[in-house]
Amino acid sequence: QVQLVESGGGLVQAGGSLRLSCAASGRTFSGVFIGWFRQAPGKEREFVAAISWTGGRTYYADSVKGRFTISRDNAKTTVYLQMNSLKPDDTAVYYCAAEPSIYSAYAKYWGKGTQVTVSS
């Protein structure tokens, strides 16, 4: 059974940084993507970033390109999302997901999410 556990959310001022972690377990992830999505209050869930477990290819939403960096540690089966230059619009619950559909809001497996709040 796939388990995805997010951590690292919190409250930060605009312009600050946070690093989210997603610990993945339950199967081998070779050949699949792991992604981050977010959902702000009153809005639909949206794609943020994804990384291929094997080759390290990365994809980003235009809204975070240049500010967020996704990476992985294969030995720890953990995926990270480094978020810099945070804006109040980045406030949302951030979800880790396995086997996402890149640029869509669909994924096969989901974590429970971690809250990120950016104050102005």
Side-chain angles (χ1 to χ4, degrees):
Q1 183 177 355
V2 173
Q3 284 194 315
L4 303 167
V5 180
E6 304 96 334
S7 62
L11 173 65
V12 64
Q13 288 189 331
S17 299
L18 280 176
R19 188 177 81 156
L20 305 183
S21 299
C22 172
S25 63
R27 57 162 281 184
T28 177
F29 294 96
S30 175
V32 303
F33 280 81
I34 302 290
W36 287 94
F37 293 74
R38 66 185 182 186
Q39 187 166 19
K43 295 187 177 180
E44 295 184 350
R45 189 173 297 185
E46 63 177 1
F47 170 81
V48 175
I51 187 167
S52 65
W53 197 261
T54 306
R57 279 182 298 157
T58 57
Y59 297 86
Y60 296 94
D62 287 342
S63 58
V64 305
K65 204 171 292 184
R67 300 188 298 122
F68 291 10
T69 302
I70 190 170
S71 62
R72 80 218 188 280
D73 183 329
N74 287 13
K76 296 181 180 179
T77 59
T78 299
V79 173
Y80 304 98
L81 186 68
Q82 178 66 43
M83 305 185 295
N84 299 328
S85 302
L86 283 161
K87 307 173 182 179
D89 284 349
D90 294 318
T91 295
V93 177
Y94 283 71
Y95 297 90
C96 179
E99 299 189 39
S101 179
I102 306 298
Y103 299 128
S104 81
Y106 171 80
K108 189 171 183 180
Y109 304 101
W110 294 92
K112 293 184 178 181
T114 185
Q115 176 71 46
V116 171
T117 303
V118 184
S119 63
S120 56

